[in-house]
Amino acid sequence: MSALVCPSCADSQTILCPSVERIEHPALRLPIFWSQNRKILLDHLLRFKPTILHTFSPGQVHLAKWLSKQLQLPFVVTCHENPSRWSCFKNPIHHAARVIAPSKPIADRLAEKCPGLEDRIEQIYIGSFVEDQCSCFSHGGHVASLVAVHPLNSLKLFAPFLNAVRHLVLDGFEVMVALMGTGKAEKAIRAHIRKLGLTSLVTVVPPIRPMQSVLSGADVYLHLSDSGVFDAQLLEAMAVGLAVVGVPETTSGLLHDGQTAAFWDSADELNIYGCLKNVLGQREKSRQLAQNAQAYLRNQNSVSRMVDKLMNTYIQAQQSHKQSLKTPDESPASPPQSSLG
């Protein structure tokens, strides 16, 4: 039995199952009630009686540390971000019983950035259900579908790509592009699309749920920038069998040039054009790239393996917490009830 702590506005329906209880936090959605909100949450958890707390970074790590102290329970943190900019000793993650890294690059940087945390770092890949079929260029026809899921916060980021698309169209390539996102530069990006004469080929829409059903209808996934945070949409795109093209990334460890993705220089319009031309013009090679990515996920990102490692991590965290409290462990650890924040 688990509980999910999340805001009332969160789209929790996509992850909740019947055995998971939802606890809304904050209950009072005004900053001045932060103290009352903590007390309300604590009362809910006291009734639920969790045996371990699990939170995420970036996220409510400070809150998890406070609840851990109040409930006298260990807490576990999954770190989804690049910790390079952290001041680790001011970060409550340093007090976690275990720190989960969903990729080797994150695990390595955690160990480098936070000396003394090495023995508590667990490397657990995020599980993914990989489709049996590969979506890339499997729909027939000549029109290639390209999709990007990215905040629309900078025209400078999108302009070189859109310019490259225009050159591809002039060369006779038939493409459809979907840019999924919202942001402060949306108006400027739409204006640039009109300026290039691409309004019939490039669509700008908000993110659509469920994302996997949208991605499975495309051929190519565009990885436009490295945000420094683990990209769940990238994982889903690889799982359904899209060919991934775009910039290198240093967080998830999923993209390997020429093996699971094709890289370009985001500031070089000609380089982007050349990369896209190869992907669209050599469809069998692109399809092989997508199939390689699916095989990589089947080997590294098994859901059953993730669950097994998570349960072992919870048990280890409980055992180390008991030792720190100097209480004897009288019986074998049973599967813990977790409270997720």
Side-chain angles (χ1 to χ4, degrees), residues 8-303:
S8 59
C9 59
D11 184 17
S12 58
Q13 298 306 313
T14 58
I15 56 176
L16 283 179
C17 60
S19 62
V20 177
E21 179 178 332
R22 173 174 173 161
I23 300 175
E24 293 184 3
H25 174 79
L28 307 171
R29 298 188 61 79
L30 285 174
I32 60 173
F33 295 123
W34 70 271
S35 179
Q36 290 90 332
N37 282 322
R38 282 192 168 195
K39 290 178 182 177
I40 292 171
L41 175 59
L42 182 59
D43 288 342
H44 277 298
L45 291 178
L46 285 170
R47 290 195 294 271
F48 181 76
K49 297 180 181 179
T51 55
I52 196 165
L53 304 172
H54 188 165
T55 190
F56 302 90
S57 178
Q60 296 281 358
V61 185
H62 285 86
L63 178 60
K65 179 189 172 185
W66 181 80
L67 290 170
S68 172
K69 184 176 180 180
Q70 299 300 313
L71 297 168
Q72 288 295 294
L73 292 174
F75 77 99
V76 174
V77 178
T78 294
C79 178
H80 287 288
E81 65 181 344
N82 186 334
S84 299
R85 300 177 182 177
W86 284 2
S87 175
C88 188
F89 295 101
K90 295 181 181 178
N91 195 309
I93 199 172
H94 199 69
H95 300 274
R98 288 290 186 274
V99 179
I100 296 173
S103 69
K104 188 175 186 302
I106 292 178
D108 291 344
R109 291 193 190 91
L110 277 169
E112 179 183 351
K113 185 68 178 179
C114 302
L117 200 64
E118 298 94 328
D119 61 336
R120 283 177 277 163
I121 297 173
E122 303 283 348
Q123 188 174 311
I124 303 177
Y125 295 119
I126 295 177
S128 177
F129 292 103
V130 181
E131 294 291 331
D132 293 331
Q133 303 300 319
C134 177
S135 292
C136 181
F137 297 122
S138 65
H139 310 289
H142 297 289
V143 180
S145 300
L146 290 69
V147 62
V149 184
H150 197 283
L152 308 179
N153 291 330
S154 171
L155 173 61
K156 184 179 179 180
L157 173 66
F158 287 87
F161 163 72
L162 292 171
N163 295 340
V165 170
R166 178 176 177 272
H167 288 300
L168 287 169
V169 173
L170 293 175
D171 282 352
F173 285 93
E174 296 182 74
V175 298
M176 292 294 295
V177 181
L179 303 180
M180 302 180 65
T182 58
K184 60 185 179 181
E186 181 175 344
K187 185 176 180 180
I189 292 170
R190 289 181 181 274
H192 193 70
I193 293 170
R194 289 194 298 270
K195 178 182 175 182
L196 297 175
L198 298 176
T199 51
S200 63
L201 305 178
V202 180
T203 303
V204 180
V205 295
I208 301 171
R209 305 291 179 183
M211 186 66 70
Q212 194 170 41
S213 62
V214 177
L215 294 174
S216 62
D219 301 302
V220 178
Y221 183 82
L222 305 166
H223 184 251
L224 298 177
S225 72
D226 181 14
S227 65
V229 178
F230 194 98
D231 188 345
Q233 283 78 30
L234 172 62
L235 184 67
E236 289 195 55
M238 295 173 67
V240 300
L242 300 191
V244 179
V245 299
V247 300
E249 58 89 44
T250 58
T251 306
S252 71
L254 296 172
L255 301 186
H256 305 277
D257 193 21
Q259 300 175 43
T260 61
F263 291 161
W264 67 44
D265 180 351
S266 62
D268 187 339
E269 181 182 319
L270 289 176
N271 186 260
I272 296 173
Y273 164 77
C275 181
L276 287 173
K277 185 176 181 180
N278 288 337
V279 168
L280 299 177
Q282 303 176 42
R283 295 194 171 191
E284 283 304 316
K285 187 176 179 180
S286 300
R287 188 170 166 80
Q288 184 61 56
L289 204 66
Q291 291 171 337
N292 290 346
Q294 286 182 304
Y296 182 86
L297 293 186
R298 290 189 186 99
N299 183 51
Q300 296 287 345
N301 294 70
S302 161
V303 173

